[in-house]
Amino acid sequence: DSNGPAPGSVSKPKRRSDFTIGTSGGFGFGRASGYPNKIDQIDNSAYESSTKMGLGSGGLVWLGVAFNDYLTFGLGGGQYKLTGNDRTASAGMFAFHVDAYPLFNVDKNLQDLAVFGNVGTGPLKITGGPNEAEGGLMSYVEGGVAYERLRFWGFGFGPSASFIHMWSQSATMTGALVGVRLAFYSGP
């Protein structure tokens, strides 16, 4: 039947299913600012430390499950670092990772176009200035796109781009990553 599977039937995965492990990383840019994590120094401009616009790098590794060709879920960890204004901001992340492939049935060339999101937490420190800033355990969100166009066996490889934001009472970091992504799917 050229109209797809019958209502109520389950189609067999074509590109991804079962166990998945992946990594993404690349070059970054953005800004981080914060204060020492001491109640009397937070929001006091005399103690603020900022990278201003900085350059850096980052990445994430995750493991999880590919439920079908359209959706994967995993747990991961990573890092993000920015350097600017004679300061270095270093962040670590623990994340819930979700990939969606919403255009899978639209066109064969779009089967590997992913929209992804990461949510979680992690620490941030800004060093190098007169005052060291510390964000404590910060909230973390990231959203982006990836295109796993190159395929070999169970591996997908291609470009990725994302936007990152971390925040707490004593610090914030906003940036972007442009790089590559490699993912392995044990099925189909």
Side-chain angles (χ1 to χ4, degrees), residues 16-50:
R16 59 193 66 83
S17 66
D18 306 325
F19 170 79
T20 182
I21 184 169
T23 184
S24 63
F27 298 104
F29 60 91
R31 181 180 192 277
S33 63
Y35 305 89
N37 200 4
K38 298 177 181 171
I39 195 75
D40 59 331
Q41 296 176 0
I42 294 173
D43 290 329
N44 184 334
S45 61
Y47 298 101
E48 184 178 14
S49 185
S50 174

Side-chain angles (χ1 to χ4, degrees), residues 1 21 44 48 55 79 93 107 109 119 125 134 142 158 172 176:
D1 185 324
I21 184 169
N44 184 334
E48 184 178 14
L55 298 175
Q79 58 83 29
M93 297 97 130
D107 185 89
N109 292 315
V119 295
K125 277 192 178 185
E134 189 173 334
E142 179 177 8
T172 61

Side-chain angles (χ1 to χ4, degrees), residues 23 146-150 156-160 179-183:
T23 184
Y147 190 44
E148 299 171 351
R149 184 62 177 140
L150 300 174
F157 177 79
S160 69
V180 295
R181 165 177 164 143
L182 174 67

Side-chain angles (χ1 to χ4, degrees), residues 1 5 7 11-12 16 30 45 70 76-77 104 115 120 130 135 141 156 179 181 186:
D1 185 324
S11 63
K12 185 176 176 183
R16 59 193 66 83
S45 61
Y70 310 93
F104 187 84
V115 176
V141 295
R181 165 177 164 143
S186 63

